[in-house]
Amino acid sequence: MLSTDHTTLALELAQAGPRPIAAYLHVPFCYRRCGYCNFSLLANREDLHERFVDAILTELSWLQTPQPVETLFLGGGTPSILDQGAMERLLGGIRTWLPVYGNREWTIEANPRDITSANLALWRGLGIDRVSIGGQSFQDRKLESLERDHTSKELLRAIELAASHMPRVSLDLIFAAPGETLVQWEKDLRQVIDCGIGHVSTYGLTFEKGARFYGELQRQKITKVDEQLELDMYNLAIDLLGAAGIEQYEISNFALQGQECRHNQAYWSSERWWGFGPSAAGYVGTTRYVNHRATLQYLRRIESGRSPIQERDELSEDQQGRERFVFGMRQRRGVAWEEFKASIPKPTGDAIETTLDNHIAQGWMERAGSYVRLTRSGLVLSDGLWGEYLAE
Ligand code: SF4
C-alpha cells in the first residue's frame, strides 16, 4: 500500500536542494522507563518489536530508490533491545534503502546489558562500526537514583567488550543527579579517563514535563542540585577530560582527536538528513519534518498507508541562515564568520551580527581568528542565548 507518503515528497524536495547525507532511525522501545526520561518510547513491549520493524521497513521502502548516506544513527529508546531476527531484518532493510558511502559511520545506541560478544559480532557483521553506551555513571547509588537497570560492574564489562569488537565506542554520562557531590562526579570522570574511552556525551540532569521526576520535583519528593554546583560539575568535565586529551568539541560532547561523532557533526553543520520511526525528525531540502511521536499512532498510520509525518515546516532563507548559525555555534570551534555571512541573505547576516556584537560585549562570545565562538561563560548560558538569534 502506498499513499502520499512523506518520503516521496521529501525526495522531491531533496532533488531541489542539498541532498541528505545522514539518516536517523528511532527504535522506540526500552526495558523500562527511567524516571528522568520523557522520550518517545514504550517500555516492556516486546510484543510490538516485529510489528515496528515491519512498519519502519515500509517507511523506508517509500523512498522508492535507495538514498546513499554517509552516516546512520540507530537511536532510541534502546535499539539494542531487538533480538537477532528483528535486528537482521531492520539492518538489512537499512542497508538496502540507505547504503552508506565515503567517510562512513554507523552508530547503535546500546544498553550495557545488551553488550554481549554475540550481539557485538552480529551488529559489526551487519555494518555497525560505533556503539554509544547509555552508561550514565560508574556508581551504583547514582545509577539507582537515576533508575537505571544496570550496575557499574556491568557497565565496565560492557565498555571493555565493546572496545574489543568496535572501532569506536562512546559513553553517555549524566551529572547533577539528586544528591550528587562534586567529588562523586569527579570519580565518574576519572573512571572515564581510566577506561580509555574515546568519546563522551555528558548532560546535566533535566526535569522535563512528561518524565516522572518532573512530578516528583513539583511534589518536593526529589531535589535538584544547586545551580552553582551543576556549573562547577560542567566546568570540571571540560577541564578534566580536556587535560586527558578528550577535548570538548561541542557543548555536551568530548572526544579524542578523530573520534568525534560524524553523524552529529552533520546536524551542527546544517547538512540535510532523513528521519525514520516514531518522533524522528528530518531536514530535507528546505523542509523540516517530525514523525508522529506516539508509537502506536505511528504504526497505525504506516499500516494504513498514511504518512507518519505530524509536523512539517518550510524554512525561509532567513530561517535557514539563523538556524545554521545557531547549530554551528554549538561547536567549540564556532563559525567562520565572514564566510558564513557571505553565504546568507544580507539582512539576516546584519541581524545576527547585531546580536553577536552584543554577546561579545557581554563576554559570552568571542572572535578567534576568522571564527566566532562561545566563551567559557557563554557555554553555560548557551541554551538561553539561541532564542535571540532565531527570532526574526
Ligand atoms: S533514558 Fe534511555 S534507557 Fe532510560 S527510558 Fe529513556 S531512552 Fe530508555
Side-chain angles (χ1 to χ4, degrees), residues 29-39 41 43 76-78 109 111 134 136 146-149 174:
F29 302 110
C30 284
Y31 294 102
R32 68 179 198 202
R33 185 180 282 276
C34 306
Y36 57 90
C37 182
N38 73 340
F39 287 0
L41 59 90
T78 305
E109 287 185 332
N111 182 305
Q136 315 311 347
L146 292 171
E147 303 185 342
R148 300 290 306 176
D149 59 359
I174 284 179

Side-chain angles (χ1 to χ4, degrees), residues 225-279:
V225 304
D226 175 74
E227 209 171 293
Q228 184 57 49
L229 174 57
E230 186 169 347
L231 274 183
D232 292 345
M233 289 176 165
Y234 181 57
N235 280 315
L236 188 66
I238 298 172
D239 292 335
L240 274 189
L241 296 176
I246 309 171
E247 296 284 351
Q248 184 182 32
Y249 70 103
E250 192 264 353
I251 293 169
S252 305
N253 286 278
F254 302 75
L256 291 173
Q257 204 176 6
Q259 297 269 318
E260 297 86 358
C261 176
R262 292 175 206 140
H263 181 83
N264 285 341
Q265 284 178 316
Y267 296 152
W268 302 322
S269 309
S270 287
E271 298 284 0
R272 302 305 193 259
W273 72 91
W274 303 101
F276 300 93
S279 81

Side-chain angles (χ1 to χ4, degrees), residues 98 104 146 154 175 262 271 295 315 363 387:
L98 300 165
R104 70 190 302 286
L146 292 171
E154 284 171 322
F175 60 91
R262 292 175 206 140
E271 298 284 0
T295 299
L315 299 193

Side-chain angles (χ1 to χ4, degrees), residues 61-98:
S61 74
W62 285 345
L63 285 170
Q64 298 192 56
T65 348
Q67 299 294 314
V69 290
E70 289 182 33
T71 66
L72 286 164
F73 199 103
L74 203 53
T78 305
S80 59
I81 203 171
L82 297 180
D83 68 18
Q84 180 173 348
M87 190 64 86
E88 281 173 345
R89 283 204 309 127
L90 175 60
L91 270 55
I94 295 172
R95 285 159 62 114
T96 300
W97 293 106
L98 300 165

Side-chain angles (χ1 to χ4, degrees), residues 20-21 49 84 88 93 110 120 177 201 226 245 248 252 264 269 309 316 319 322 361:
I21 64 161
H49 291 187
Q84 180 173 348
E88 281 173 345
L120 287 162
S201 302
D226 175 74
Q248 184 182 32
S252 305
N264 285 341
S269 309
I309 289 186
S316 65
Q319 288 169 316
R322 288 170 186 273

